[in-house]
């Protein structure tokens, strides 16, 4: 099973970054390529079980369910319910940790998924680079 991964150090405290990232409904504010995003039932964006609906390039639809949220560990996981990519059983996790000697934060985004053998390598690169690393780079710019 492929396990894409990306990480970076951001120039902001872990508490500051986490307070922004823990909002499962705000992905369209910071993720390049996401045109709109809403929590489907209109409920709170930090409720485990809520589903966000994202519209990306070419009106592509992604639906993702928040499967865990842990403020103490500064992490959440989500399951991909629907996406135009040739993957299934996809799950991702975002985690924010303090860099204790500088006051910065360490952000990592990782996942796992299943795919047909012919698609595995390309999809692992897509998740690691086009999604995770691109998103973390956007956060780096947001937090200076």
């Amino acid at each position: 099973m492929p396990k894409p991964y990306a990480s970076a150090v951001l120039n902001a405290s872990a508490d500051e970054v986490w307070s922004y990232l823990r909002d499962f409904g705000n992905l369209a504010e910071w993720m390049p390529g996401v045109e709109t995003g809403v929590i489907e039932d209109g409920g709170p964006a930090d409720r485990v079980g809520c589903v966000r609906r994202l519209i990306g390039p070419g009106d592509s639809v992604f639906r993702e369910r928040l499967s865990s949220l842990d403020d103490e560990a500064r992490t959440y996981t989500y399951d991909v319910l629907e996406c135009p990519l040739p993957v299934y059983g996809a799950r991702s996790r975002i985690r924010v940790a303090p860099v204790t000697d500088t006051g910065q934060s360490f952000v990592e985004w990782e996942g796992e998924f299943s795919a047909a053998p012919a698609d595995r390598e390309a999809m692992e690169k897509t998740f690691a680079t086009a999604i995770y690393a691109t998103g973390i780079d956007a956060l780096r710019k947001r937090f200076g």
Side-chain angles (χ1 to χ4, degrees):
M1 179 175 285
K3 297 187 183 282
Y5 179 86
S7 64
V9 173
L10 304 186
N11 197 22
S13 73
D15 287 338
E16 182 181 0
V17 173
W18 177 245
S19 71
Y20 183 72
L21 272 184
R22 75 177 303 281
D23 180 350
F24 190 64
N26 75 355
L27 194 71
E29 288 179 21
W30 58 270
M31 182 67 179
V34 176
E35 297 169 13
T36 62
V38 297
I39 301 299
E40 287 187 347
D41 67 2
D46 63 354
R47 179 180 41 87
V48 171
C50 72
V51 174
R52 67 181 174 195
R53 180 182 182 85
L54 308 167
I55 306 297
D59 292 329
S60 56
V61 175
F62 293 77
R63 293 178 64 243
E64 301 167 339
R65 180 184 317 119
L66 184 63
S67 54
S68 72
L69 177 78
D70 184 335
D71 284 320
E72 187 174 326
R74 295 185 198 91
T75 187
Y76 70 71
T77 57
Y78 62 92
D79 297 307
V80 178
L81 305 175
E82 178 183 340
C83 82
L85 301 173
V87 300
Y88 56 94
R91 173 172 267 202
S92 295
R93 179 178 77 103
I94 292 178
R95 183 177 78 96
V96 180
V99 178
T100 59
D101 70 338
T102 65
Q104 296 170 300
S105 60
F106 176 74
V107 177
E108 61 183 351
W109 198 345
E110 63 186 338
E112 61 184 28
F113 62 87
S114 296
D119 294 324
R120 284 184 192 139
E121 186 176 331
M123 288 300 96
E124 184 168 21
K125 185 175 183 179
T126 295
F127 273 87
T129 305
I131 299 173
Y132 301 165
T134 295
I136 289 173
D137 189 52
L139 290 168
R140 181 186 291 130
K141 291 173 185 167
R142 177 177 191 82
F143 288 100

